[in-house]
Amino acid sequence: MAKFLAELLGCTLPDKGTPPLFECRSQPHLRMRPSSKQRTEYALTNLSTAPTSDEEDTMPQTPPFTGQLNTGSYNKNLYQTKEEGYPGLYYNDNNLVSGSLEALIHHLVPTVDYYPDRTYIFTFLLSSRLFIHPYELMSKVCHLCTEQQRLGDPQADKMRVRKIAPKILQLLTEWTETFPYDFRDERMMRSLKELTHRLASGDEIYRKAVSQMSQGLIRRLTVLSQYEEALGKINATAAERLTVLKAKPQAAIQRDLLSICNDPFTVAQQLTHIELERLSYIGPEEFVQAFVQKDPLDNDKNCFSDHKKASNLEAYVDWFNRLSYLVATEICMPGKKKHRARVIEFFIDVARECFNIGNFNSLMAIISGMNMSPVSRLKKTWSKVKTAKFDILEHQMDPSSNFYNYRTALRGATQRSITANSSREKIVIPFFSLLIKDIYFLNEGCANRLQNGHINFEKFWELAKQVSEFMTWKKVECPFEKDRKILQYLLTAPVFTEDALYLASYESEGPENNMEKDRWKSLRSTLLSRV
């Protein structure tokens, strides 16, 4: 994980002719690396307190339990009521700004006359894993529900149980629907089963609600397992083809993308299918778990030192890298200059269609691939290319002023999505590495705890706001028809290694200086000797 973050956060968008920085793992680079001071200023200037009412509506929402849940009386934020009931929470202008971990956990647990605001639920469940394991939090929630509401007491007032049961079920439903991956831990499932058993022992309506919630959770976890299995098979197929390519790097390849599909719009649509599918499986907690560090007040290890908890996030970043290298491979592979120029112009058109769709991640991956040194050094090839459209796209994704142009375009796409009349207009696929960096700099620029040891909840309001916007984007279903043949090629076609790209580039357009000549001789010696 440390290596993954170091490579991701250290990467920069290359100018044409810039040599790759990472020899060990060929990866396109994106130029944005502020100093620690800049990071702090960036995070602080973008930090708000609690979300406004409009922002609350954008947070992940779960429909209220339909049993006897009168949402009008407690669904909105009843901070003052809860503050009076449990000390340790601090407010500014009626907004929760900090509190002890214990107080924040109590604030999460519903009572007969209180239910936490859903914005608070999402924010706390997202950020609490920086301080406590999810299974430990679930255990505490179960204990508080059982003890406070006397759920374990056979003589407990049945009317009281009927009032509290739908609220507890609503909280558990919110948790299982928004953070289902937490429940891959057997300890989580054990606590969930224990608490829901107590609730289901009452009325039939609660037994049905518990059953419905459990089935939904199992279904989501099953779909995740199937996705991971399918992803493993795709990666295995790609690895097998890459092995063949490494063994014979100069061997003629029977097919290229243009021979399968020469329509840029169709390819952009299929790229969008892949992006949205992979985006949809990233859990919101992965953004936090990717950057988790040891809590200074915790004598134990950090919450996720023993497990890789951001695998879907990493798989998505790996897809970006694959697409970049696929683009570079397709350009360097043809032996004829005219064909290479045609491939470059084709990918420029694909990138433009991605921009029009709102698929900024594929757009940036294509630009990164075309700016890699083995491609950008092909001056004779580029002289045959009409680059006006490419220059416009590069301007849109220009990293200067903290990607100002891109962020403006992203806001426009987001606004279009909000007012969309068609499913296609709802598509917003962000430049993902930059989204991760924004969250990383927010995390690094502001302390998790205040000097008095309290949790800095102002920071986590902002974190939740950023992640919740992503949650909206990832729920969009791709409206385009799938083309299995194109998808298969994009996902499994062999791509050249960095050395193979350079060799192909030198073979197409000879070395221009002594350094390139020496490298060319070395690559021919090492790579062609395997044939």
Side-chain angles (χ1 to χ4, degrees):
M1 177 65 73
K3 179 182 177 183
F4 160 72
L5 292 178
E7 293 184 355
L8 174 62
L9 296 170
C11 56
T12 56
L13 177 66
D15 293 320
K16 291 182 180 178
T18 303
L21 298 177
F22 299 113
E23 298 274 339
C24 59
R25 175 178 173 179
S26 299
Q27 176 167 310
H29 318 295
L30 312 166
R31 186 199 306 137
M32 191 184 75
R33 197 172 187 177
S35 65
S36 57
K37 180 180 179 181
Q38 288 174 315
R39 279 184 251 171
T40 303
E41 289 176 351
Y42 170 78
L44 292 176
T45 54
N46 284 274
L47 181 63
S48 63
T49 54
T52 63
S53 57
D54 290 339
E55 289 164 353
E56 287 177 11
D57 292 337
T58 67
M59 293 286 187
Q61 301 288 314
T62 302
F65 172 59
T66 55
Q68 299 162 8
L69 188 58
N70 179 10
T71 60
S73 61
Y74 53 79
N75 190 39
K76 281 298 175 185
N77 213 342
L78 303 182
Y79 283 144
Q80 297 86 345
T81 303
K82 196 67 174 179
E83 182 181 22
E84 295 170 1
Y86 196 86
L89 298 177
Y90 290 84
Y91 299 81
N92 181 23
D93 292 334
N94 204 32
N95 292 321
L96 178 62
V97 295
S98 69
S100 66
L101 179 60
E102 198 66 28
L104 292 169
I105 293 174
H106 274 77
H107 197 54
L108 178 70
V109 178
T111 65
V112 170
D113 54 5
Y114 164 80
Y115 186 80
D117 175 49
R118 287 179 180 148
T119 301
Y120 174 78
I121 293 173
F122 176 72
T123 303
F124 184 67
L125 290 180
L126 176 69
S127 59
S128 62
R129 59 200 70 237
L130 290 168
F131 312 98
I132 184 173
H133 290 274
Y135 78 87
E136 292 176 320
L137 176 61
M138 173 60 83
S139 179
K140 286 180 177 290
V141 168
C142 290
H143 175 75
L144 288 172
C145 288
T146 302
E147 294 300 314
Q148 287 183 358
Q149 309 306 323
R150 298 165 53 202
L151 294 180
D153 184 358
Q155 305 301 320
D157 184 355
K158 287 190 175 182
M159 285 301 297
R160 181 182 179 85
V161 173
R162 286 172 183 165
K163 288 182 179 180
I164 188 61
K167 297 179 183 179
I168 295 175
L169 279 173
Q170 176 68 15
L171 175 64
L172 296 178
T173 300
E174 301 240 14
W175 197 336
T176 57
E177 290 189 357
T178 310
F179 299 92
Y181 301 170
D182 285 350
F183 294 86
R184 300 184 94 174
D185 188 326
E186 292 181 1
R187 295 166 292 189
M188 286 286 291
M189 292 297 287
R190 193 158 48 242
S191 294
L192 178 66
K193 185 176 180 180
E194 178 184 338
L195 182 55
T196 53
H197 176 73
R198 295 183 186 278
L199 297 174
S201 61
D203 293 348
E204 177 66 21
I205 188 173
Y206 303 137
R207 282 194 287 272
K208 290 182 178 180
V210 167
S211 176
Q212 184 177 4
M213 179 187 68
S214 300
Q215 290 174 8
L217 175 59
I218 293 172
R219 183 168 57 251
R220 280 184 285 276
L221 294 180
T222 300
V223 170
L224 173 62
S225 296
Q226 292 171 343
Y227 165 73
E228 291 176 340
E229 183 179 347
L231 198 60
K233 291 179 179 178
I234 289 172
N235 292 339
T237 302
E240 289 174 6
R241 295 183 178 182
L242 181 60
T243 301
V244 174
L245 185 63
K246 284 182 177 179
K248 296 184 178 182
Q250 294 299 95
I253 298 177
Q254 296 298 318
R255 297 186 305 170
D256 58 15
L257 182 56
L258 275 171
S259 68
I260 295 174
C261 178
N262 60 5
D263 178 17
F265 186 50
T266 301
V267 172
Q269 289 179 334
Q270 301 313 303
L271 288 173
T272 303
H273 264 294
I274 297 171
E275 297 279 357
L276 286 175
E277 180 186 49
R278 299 207 172 190
L279 208 64
S280 69
Y281 286 98
I282 299 173
E285 70 282 355
E286 293 192 45
F287 291 99
V288 174
Q289 291 164 184
F291 305 121
V292 71
Q293 296 178 356
K294 188 178 185 298
D295 184 356
L297 298 186
D298 186 2
N299 294 324
D300 197 0
K301 296 179 179 179
N302 71 60
C303 291
F304 300 98
S305 59
D306 299 328
H307 301 282
K308 196 172 185 180
K309 293 289 185 177
S311 58
N312 294 313
L313 186 150
E314 288 191 38
Y316 191 50
V317 173
D318 287 342
W319 155 249
F320 178 97
N321 297 331
R322 172 182 168 76
L323 178 56
S324 294
Y325 272 81
L326 178 62
V327 169
T329 299
E330 294 284 322
I331 294 171
C332 291
M333 195 165 51
K336 294 182 178 180
K337 177 173 54 180
K338 183 178 180 181
H339 191 181
R340 291 194 300 273
R342 182 183 170 212
V343 174
I344 290 175
E345 291 183 341
F346 174 75
F347 276 114
I348 291 174
D349 288 338
V350 172
R352 184 180 63 174
E353 294 299 341
C354 286
F355 179 84
N356 292 335
I357 289 172
N359 180 358
F360 297 104
N361 202 56
S362 289
L363 165 63
M364 194 59 165
I366 293 171
I367 292 175
S368 296
M370 297 174 75
N371 275 333
M372 291 176 66
S373 296
V375 177
S376 62
R377 67 169 299 278
L378 298 172
K379 296 177 182 178
K380 294 178 182 178
T381 302
W382 280 96
S383 68
K384 301 294 182 181
V385 175
K386 298 177 182 178
T387 59
K389 290 182 287 186
F390 184 61
D391 293 339
I392 293 172
L393 292 173
E394 281 198 306
H395 177 71
Q396 288 291 343
M397 303 305 287
D398 183 358
S400 62
S401 301
N402 196 13
F403 285 89
Y404 175 81
N405 293 341
Y406 158 70
R407 294 183 190 278
T408 301
L410 180 65
R411 283 195 297 272
T414 302
Q415 188 59 39
R416 181 187 68 180
S417 177
I418 294 172
T419 59
N421 295 318
S422 67
S423 55
R424 176 181 168 177
E425 293 176 333
K426 292 181 180 179
I427 297 173
V428 180
I429 303 173
F431 172 27
F432 195 66
S433 294
L434 186 59
L435 174 62
I436 296 174
K437 286 184 177 184
D438 287 346
I439 293 174
Y440 174 79
F441 291 156
L442 170 63
N443 185 55
E444 289 293 298
C446 300
N448 289 339
R449 290 185 184 270
L450 305 179
Q451 290 183 345
N452 63 1
H454 278 196
I455 291 173
N456 180 8
F457 217 73
E458 281 186 292
K459 169 182 176 176
F460 297 120
W461 284 129
E462 177 63 20
L463 175 64
K465 186 171 73 172
Q466 290 193 23
V467 175
S468 65
E469 191 169 38
F470 160 81
M471 295 286 285
T472 301
W473 296 333
K474 80 167 197 167
K475 290 179 180 177
V476 174
E477 293 187 9
C478 190
F480 308 123
E481 184 178 349
K482 283 187 177 181
D483 187 311
R484 300 290 179 183
K485 195 173 182 180
I486 299 174
L487 288 172
Q488 180 74 6
Y489 186 87
L490 292 171
L491 290 168
T492 65
V495 296
F496 285 172
T497 62
E498 192 171 283
D499 284 345
L501 281 173
Y502 269 109
L503 180 57
S505 180
Y506 293 143
E507 295 288 337
S508 297
E509 295 186 19
E512 295 182 348
N513 52 53
N514 290 332
M515 186 178 70
E516 287 192 346
K517 287 179 181 178
D518 291 340
R519 184 166 192 181
W520 181 37
K521 291 177 182 178
S522 175
L523 290 173
R524 285 181 64 87
S525 174
T526 55
L527 295 180
L528 297 185
S529 62
R530 301 173 188 169
V531 180

